[in-house]
Amino acid sequence: MGAFDVEDARAAAVLILFGVLDRLPADHRAQNAAVSADLDVLLLTRAQTLRSHAGQIAFPGGRVDPGDDGPEAAALREAWEETGLDPAGVEVLGRLGDQPLPFSNHVVTPVVGWWRQPTPVRPVDAAESSAVFRAPVADLVDPANRVTWTIRQGREIRRGPGWLLHVDGEERFVWGFTAGLLDRVLARLGWEEPWDVAREVPLS
């Protein structure tokens, strides 16, 4: 892969959608009072058949199309297409700084929203996603769920923040771009709790 050129990268957007859980709340009691036991964030598992980031947990999102009125519109459209949520029930709070994603030649704009009127969600297209779920934020800040993933590429070992979560009776591993973005969001909001970065999970 050649050097990543932001000017030539394709624009994309993801929706970081916070809401109130419609199921069991988190077990962990967060140190920050702003993280209630029923606060959640919407995530999905990408289909194994996709060409890039197959099988990884991600935020709803995708490429910004010519007909989209900016990253916010693209994030809401993609979330509707992938999860079936009603965009009318989402209040857009703003956007975070653009994030480069060299692996798939994208520059991603994270759009933050509040799920004012939640609607049922599901994997709309099996070719795009295999699961859609709402993860308790308190479980994300719980140090017991945090790990450092590692992956060997030639002689180098890449590392990054990750999560081992149990949601809806299933174990879900969050790593890569989405985990890095989650890590930055939690730190920026002041919700992050000290965790053991030496606890490593090798991926290869």
Side-chain angles (χ1 to χ4, degrees), residues 2-188:
F4 179 68
D5 188 343
V6 173
E7 296 298 324
D8 293 334
R10 294 167 290 190
V14 296
L15 181 63
I16 304 176
L17 182 58
F18 294 103
V20 175
L21 275 168
D22 57 357
R23 299 185 183 179
L24 294 175
D27 294 327
H28 178 67
R29 183 175 183 138
Q31 295 177 3
N32 192 310
V35 182
S36 61
D38 57 1
L39 181 68
D40 74 354
V41 65
L42 183 65
L43 295 168
L44 58 81
T45 303
R46 291 171 58 83
Q48 292 285 355
T49 53
L50 291 173
R51 287 183 297 176
S52 61
H53 311 288
Q56 292 187 22
I57 290 175
F59 295 109
R63 197 173 301 174
V64 178
D65 288 345
D68 292 325
D69 186 16
E72 290 83 358
L76 290 172
R77 174 184 55 75
E78 287 283 349
W80 169 69
E81 292 176 356
E82 293 176 337
T83 74
L85 68 76
D86 183 356
V90 176
E91 178 184 354
V92 174
L93 302 178
R95 65 173 77 166
L96 304 178
D98 290 347
Q99 305 291 322
L101 190 54
F103 181 80
S104 56
N105 194 36
H106 285 91
V107 172
V108 181
T109 301
V111 175
V112 181
W114 174 251
W115 214 350
R116 186 180 62 252
Q117 294 179 328
T119 48
V121 290
R122 69 195 190 286
V124 173
D125 185 351
E128 292 285 336
S129 54
S130 61
V132 175
F133 61 97
R134 302 170 65 173
V137 176
D139 286 347
L140 292 169
V141 303
D142 185 351
N145 295 330
R146 302 208 59 176
V147 298
T148 296
W149 58 263
T150 65
I151 188 169
R152 182 175 293 277
Q153 293 184 330
R155 295 185 177 182
E156 296 184 357
I157 296 179
R158 291 178 53 212
R159 290 178 169 83
W163 279 265
L164 284 169
L165 299 176
H166 291 272
V167 181
D168 296 339
E170 294 188 28
E171 185 173 277
R172 305 182 189 272
F173 184 52
V174 188
W175 71 288
F177 176 80
T178 300
L181 187 52
L182 265 175
D183 180 65
R184 288 189 287 273
V185 169
L186 295 180
R188 180 169 176 174

